[in-house]
Amino acid sequence: MSKLGTLGARLHHGEVGYDFVKNRKIWYGISILITITAILGLTVRGLHMGIEFQGGAVFNTPKNMSVSVAKAEEYAEEASGHDAIVQKLGNGSLRIQVSGIDTAQADKVSAQLASDLDVKETDVAGELVGPSWGEQIANKAWQGLGIFLILVVIYLALAFEWRMALAAFVALIHDITITVGIYALVGFEVTPGTVIGLLTILGYSLYDTVVVFDSLKEQTRDITKQTRWTYSEIANRSINSTLVRSINTTVVALLPVGGLLFIGGGVLGAGMLNDISLSLFVGLAAGAYSSIFIATPLVADLKEREPAMKALKKRVLAKRAQGGDASEPEDAAVSDDAYDDDTEDSAPAVVGPRSQPASRGRGRGRPSGKRR
């Protein structure tokens, strides 16, 4: 832990770091590949919608059933002619969901299930679920998502600038697409819990992005008054200075969600936890990735197209060439003590320790430090 803390301090002060911005094309390529895979999953497999969205019936059996889940699922599908989902509850009873059946079909399915499971027909409690409630949930979710995105873009444009708002918007769409695509590939059932999980990850996805943007905003004040760093280099410093914090917050958030998904849903068989935990787990991981590898590099790309940033980059490279360091990569992270003999180019926007140059001739020949 002490080593991690030391690494975090060194990253924050710019003593060490990884050049995320320079390798941005690699990250863009990875994201495009994952996004295409997610879209193909949605196109080919589609989403497995729960009965809340397409209607159906839910049947509950008595406690301590000896029939296995697989066998009960086979019985339900044979009786209804539709796909069925069976969950074994803690008291040993079975919860059988059958989608796409009406009242008349539900009565027949209930009677057939009672016969197959060797229980009384009155012991199989059936409940019809209409699709209208699920449709209302979905419509409200889409409305909430649209309003959320609009408000986020407006806020980020006012608090930071439109380029950061655009980058954050792209990162959000990236995270949502990947999460929904993985849902399609895995084949988990989409329930209202899934919708709640998707809406929840939007805030988490923005959290790390806004932290990096805030650091970048502080470090790029009066950026054109210095010739030490380009905008991309300062953007890279912002990512590195907040990297450990982003990793820590993401890991802390993923641990309990991972417990729900892998232990609660996988080991203990509480399938209902999968609905919300998978969307949270994938969304949190995708949000952490996009804030580091997508949002900030995209802002740097957009800013470097500005005439002022192009001119700054030329001045920085020209100065390095004059200083005998022309071989340094354009997007490389520059240490804080570089060019410490040029006091007029000190950039107040860039945080980190700097070696302060001693004044020439100060104290020369007299203890008091005054000139003769």
Side-chain angles (χ1 to χ4, degrees):
M1 295 300 293
S2 60
K3 291 183 179 180
L4 183 60
T6 303
L7 177 61
R10 296 181 67 193
L11 284 168
H12 179 76
H13 293 301
E15 298 173 9
V16 295
Y18 179 78
D19 207 335
F20 295 96
V21 177
K22 179 182 178 181
N23 299 311
R24 56 190 177 276
K25 292 183 179 179
I26 297 176
W27 320 133
Y28 294 165
I30 293 174
S31 293
I32 291 173
L33 180 61
I34 296 175
T35 303
I36 291 175
T37 304
I39 293 174
L40 287 176
L42 282 171
T43 304
V44 176
R45 293 179 59 91
L47 290 173
H48 184 197
M49 307 301 292
I51 62 173
E52 294 89 352
F53 294 100
Q54 58 181 340
V58 179
F59 302 97
N60 293 295
T61 67
K63 301 178 182 179
N64 302 319
M65 294 293 299
S66 59
V67 180
S68 66
V69 171
K71 196 65 177 177
E73 186 174 305
E74 180 182 342
Y75 289 154
E77 290 179 352
E78 289 178 354
S80 64
H82 296 270
D83 292 337
I85 298 176
V86 179
Q87 297 173 342
K88 196 156 193 175
L89 305 181
N91 57 6
S93 63
L94 297 176
R95 185 175 187 267
I96 305 171
Q97 301 181 52
V98 181
S99 60
I101 62 175
D102 54 21
T103 304
Q105 291 175 308
D107 293 337
K108 295 179 181 179
V109 172
S110 178
Q112 185 62 45
L113 282 174
S115 175
D116 293 335
L117 297 174
D118 195 20
V119 296
K120 295 180 180 179
E121 186 175 347
T122 55
D123 291 337
V124 179
E127 180 182 358
L128 286 174
V129 178
S132 59
W133 182 72
E135 290 179 0
Q136 292 177 5
I137 293 292
N139 292 333
K140 294 296 182 182
W142 283 114
Q143 293 176 11
L145 176 61
I147 295 173
F148 174 83
L149 292 176
I150 293 173
L151 292 178
V152 163
V153 170
I154 293 174
Y155 170 76
L156 291 178
L158 295 176
F160 299 101
E161 59 172 299
W162 69 267
R163 295 167 188 82
M164 292 184 177
L166 177 61
F169 177 80
V170 171
L172 280 176
I173 299 300
H174 166 273
D175 300 341
I176 294 174
T177 303
I178 290 177
T179 304
V180 176
I182 290 180
Y183 241 94
L185 291 172
V186 173
F188 278 12
E189 186 181 22
V190 177
T191 66
T194 306
V195 177
I196 294 171
L198 287 174
L199 294 177
T200 304
I201 66 172
L202 299 179
Y204 283 105
S205 177
L206 277 176
Y207 177 77
D208 288 333
T209 301
V210 171
V211 169
V212 179
F213 283 177
D214 185 64
S215 174
L216 180 57
K217 178 182 177 182
E218 292 295 324
Q219 296 194 50
T220 53
R221 287 181 180 176
D222 300 326
I223 184 176
T224 57
K225 295 181 181 179
Q226 54 85 44
T227 54
R228 292 189 180 192
W229 298 281
T230 65
Y231 189 93
S232 293
E233 292 167 354
I234 297 179
N236 191 69
R237 289 166 54 86
S238 298
I239 298 175
N240 280 280
S241 65
T242 58
L243 182 61
V244 173
R245 176 180 178 179
S246 298
I247 293 175
N248 287 339
T249 55
T250 301
V251 170
V252 169
L254 284 176
L255 285 176
V257 176
L260 287 175
L261 177 61
F262 298 109
I263 298 177
V267 178
L268 301 180
M272 290 179 288
L273 294 177
N274 291 334
D275 305 341
I276 188 171
S277 58
L278 179 64
S279 60
L280 287 176
F281 189 85
V282 177
L284 287 171
Y289 173 85
S290 64
S291 65
I292 297 172
F293 297 96
I294 303 299
T296 307
L298 182 57
V299 170
D301 271 339
L302 295 174
K303 289 291 291 186
E304 290 287 5
R305 298 182 181 183
E306 293 184 358
M309 296 301 108
K310 290 181 179 179
L312 172 63
K313 188 173 184 178
K314 290 181 179 179
R315 294 199 305 271
V316 171
L317 297 180
K319 180 173 179 179
R320 290 177 187 173
Q322 293 174 2
D325 196 18
S327 62
E328 186 175 9
E330 294 182 6
D331 295 322
V334 184
S335 63
D336 285 335
D337 55 0
Y339 313 115
D340 57 4
D341 58 341
D342 187 358
T343 57
E344 68 176 354
D345 286 331
S346 297
V350 183
V351 297
R354 294 188 179 89
S355 300
Q356 298 298 332
S359 300
R360 296 178 181 177
R362 179 179 296 174
R364 183 181 299 169
R366 297 188 65 180
S368 63
K370 296 181 180 179
R371 296 180 184 269
R372 292 183 184 272

